[in-house]
Amino acid sequence: MLAQKRIEINTSFVKKEILFIFNIIDIFFNEPKYSFGRKKEFSDKAILKILMLLKMAKKSYRKVQKLFDEHPEFLNLIGIKEAP
């Protein structure tokens, strides 16, 4: 059995579909282990979650800062401290 995290967020914007997709990304997306180059500020998994969130919210890529300012709970849901 695969363990899933239960995340409680009180906002009308977050739908079950977003949580479902984020859980699928967490389960099936493996982060590559790089031992060279500089350390990434944002993981590939976090960037993928941000892009999926923007697509589902029907927002442009330039509106990511505004979206996270209006809904800071998405930062916790994605697992980052600040918006890219």
Side-chain angles (χ1 to χ4, degrees), residues 17-29:
E17 292 86 11
I18 294 173
L19 294 175
F20 177 74
I21 288 176
F22 283 5
N23 284 334
I24 295 296
I25 290 171
D26 285 336
I27 292 169
F28 292 109
F29 189 80

Side-chain angles (χ1 to χ4, degrees), residues 11-73:
T11 182
S12 62
F13 183 76
V14 177
K15 298 180 181 176
K16 291 180 183 178
E17 292 86 11
I18 294 173
L19 294 175
F20 177 74
I21 288 176
F22 283 5
N23 284 334
I24 295 296
I25 290 171
D26 285 336
I27 292 169
F28 292 109
F29 189 80
N30 293 327
E31 284 288 333
K33 305 288 186 214
Y34 296 113
S35 61
F36 55 89
R38 66 182 180 102
K39 185 179 176 186
K40 291 183 178 182
E41 188 173 346
F42 300 100
S43 68
D44 293 339
K45 190 184 294 188
I47 293 171
L48 181 62
K49 287 181 181 181
I50 291 169
L51 293 175
M52 292 299 297
L53 180 66
L54 289 173
K55 188 67 173 174
M56 292 178 77
K58 297 180 181 172
K59 302 281 184 182
S60 71
Y61 299 122
R62 296 177 187 215
K63 305 264 181 168
V64 70
Q65 185 66 41
K66 183 178 179 183
L67 179 69
F68 285 127
D69 288 342
E70 292 174 357
H71 302 282
E73 61 272 5

